Amino acid sequence: MALTITETGFDMGLGEHRSWHLDEHVHVAFGTLAKLREEVMEYQEACRQRLPMVALFELSDIVGALAGHLRSVGVTSIDMPGPADTGAAGVWTGFYLYAELARPEEWPKLARWLLSAIGRAAAVYNMTLEDLLRQAQLRSAVLLNGSSTCSA
């Protein structure tokens, strides 16, 4: 099979498409529940498209969006998830149904439940939740640093 080289790299059927997104996504403000939903939808899209590296980035974006939302509702610390925090198979749908009605004092438990699900999803790619937490913090640091990967 011959590989055609385009401006965006080796053509794998995407042509000159400059984004991996095929679905329409509305970008919303960081710290909102809607941002968390946006990141989950992007993760699900990456899974549908069989883009494992992008799926891992999106999982770390979910972690970052979760942290942003927790901060916005006044939560500054939570415990790492344990065995009791495992959610149901339909974690993404169940999470939204519960999150829409959650009181601020319920968010730490809800966050541990979601982080547990994220950890299970990461395990498919031989990553741990801790790996994703580090990646999420580094991605946020890069954004705060003006999208530069080098420190001043």
Side-chain angles (χ1 to χ4, degrees), residues 9-91:
F10 293 104
D11 183 17
M12 297 304 294
L14 299 174
E16 296 296 325
H17 195 73
R18 295 181 184 268
S19 169
W20 71 271
H21 290 294
L22 300 178
D23 296 348
E24 226 18 76
H25 294 280
V26 177
H27 296 285
V28 296
F30 184 74
T32 63
L33 188 56
K35 184 64 171 179
L36 197 49
R37 182 176 292 122
E38 171 195 335
E39 297 302 344
V40 168
M41 289 171 54
E42 290 179 354
Y43 164 71
Q44 291 171 326
E45 180 185 5
C47 291
R48 281 194 315 277
Q49 289 189 44
R50 297 178 325 168
L51 299 170
M53 288 175 56
V54 174
L56 283 169
F57 278 120
E58 293 303 336
L59 282 173
S60 73
D61 287 352
I62 294 169
V63 169
L66 175 61
H69 183 66
L70 289 172
R71 239 178 112 111
S72 77
V73 296
V75 177
T76 58
S77 173
I78 65 167
D79 294 326
M80 281 290 283
D85 296 308
T86 56
V91 67

Side-chain angles (χ1 to χ4, degrees), residues 77-143:
S77 173
I78 65 167
D79 294 326
M80 281 290 283
D85 296 308
T86 56
V91 67
W92 308 119
T93 304
F95 169 77
Y96 291 127
L97 294 174
Y98 187 77
E100 294 288 342
L101 304 172
R103 295 183 307 271
E105 64 270 14
E106 296 175 307
W107 269 101
K109 180 177 181 174
L110 185 57
R112 287 191 306 274
W113 187 60
L114 184 58
L115 286 174
S116 177
I118 290 168
R120 287 194 310 279
V124 171
Y125 305 105
N126 295 318
M127 300 275 288
T128 66
L129 176 59
E130 290 82 1
D131 293 332
L132 283 177
L133 291 170
R134 278 191 296 277
Q135 181 173 310
Q137 185 174 16
L138 290 172
R139 283 175 60 80
S140 294
V142 166
L143 289 173

